[in-house]
């Protein structure tokens, strides 16, 4: 949680220091819209998948369960993300205001990052379930470091798109 928060802080600071407060607001609105996917779907991982991964069952069965969950999650991700991807400007207008509508052009990058994060969460639960906590920690922290570093390097040249690409790279 700390590494994730720090990576987002670096991303926001890169936009704020390079582009100003207005751009930071646009970044936040694009990110918040995409992050709603996480808010809706993350509990499914904790309520359904994690308890199964924590049972004393064979690793092969845990893998099969995780892959089956991931197939179902992929279908749900498609349903949840489709309206956000198809109508980002309308949703931003409804949730924020007309001043933030320009952020709709970057929503795609942040949605893709959230989709990858949800899919990676399945593998994270599997790693925890097979007692690979250090591997889980290393992969997550590396991803957050990549997101922060990429955003820091890309924002000056690409603006808010650089922050989205950084988050997408870290999620991958």
């Amino acid at each position: 949680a700390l590494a994730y928060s720090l990576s987002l802080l670096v991303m926001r600071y890169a936009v704020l220091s390079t582009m100003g407060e207005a751009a930071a607001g646009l970044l936040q609105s694009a990110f918040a819209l995409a992050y709603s996917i996480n808010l809706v779907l993350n509990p499914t991982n904790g309520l359904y998948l994690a308890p199964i991964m924590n049972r004393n069952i064979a690793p092969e069965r845990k893998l099969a369960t995780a892959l089956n969950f991931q197939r179902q999650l992929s279908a749900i991700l498609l349903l949840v993300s489709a309206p956000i991807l198809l109508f980002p400007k309308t949703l931003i207008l409804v949730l924020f205001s007309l001043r933030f509508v320009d952020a709709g052009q970057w929503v795609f990058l942040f949605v893709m990052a959230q989709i990858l994060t949800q899919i990676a969460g399945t593998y994270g639960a599997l790693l925890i379930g097979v007692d690979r906590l250090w591997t889980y920690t290393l992969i997550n922290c590396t991803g957050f470091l990549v997101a922060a570093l990429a955003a820091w390097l890309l924002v000056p040249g690409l603006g808010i798109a650089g922050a989205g690409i950084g988050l997408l790279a870290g999620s991958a």
Side-chain angles (χ1 to χ4, degrees), residues 47-124:
L47 295 172
Y48 176 75
L49 185 61
I52 295 171
M53 294 297 115
N54 291 327
R55 291 182 189 157
N56 189 17
I57 57 177
E60 296 81 18
R61 187 163 168 215
K62 289 181 181 185
L63 175 61
T65 301
L67 292 175
N68 184 49
F69 176 80
Q70 196 172 67
R71 277 190 293 278
Q72 295 170 357
L73 179 65
S74 296
I76 295 169
L77 279 167
L78 179 64
L79 291 172
V80 170
S81 64
I84 298 170
L85 292 171
L86 292 172
F87 309 108
K89 292 182 178 188
T90 303
L91 290 170
I92 288 174
L93 177 64
V94 169
L95 295 172
F96 299 100
S97 77
L98 186 60
R99 292 183 180 179
F100 294 95
V101 170
D102 286 344
Q105 63 188 312
W106 302 294
V107 167
F108 174 78
L109 293 168
F110 293 101
V111 167
M112 295 312 297
Q114 287 302 319
I115 289 172
L116 287 178
T117 298
Q118 288 298 314
I119 291 170
T122 304
Y123 293 114

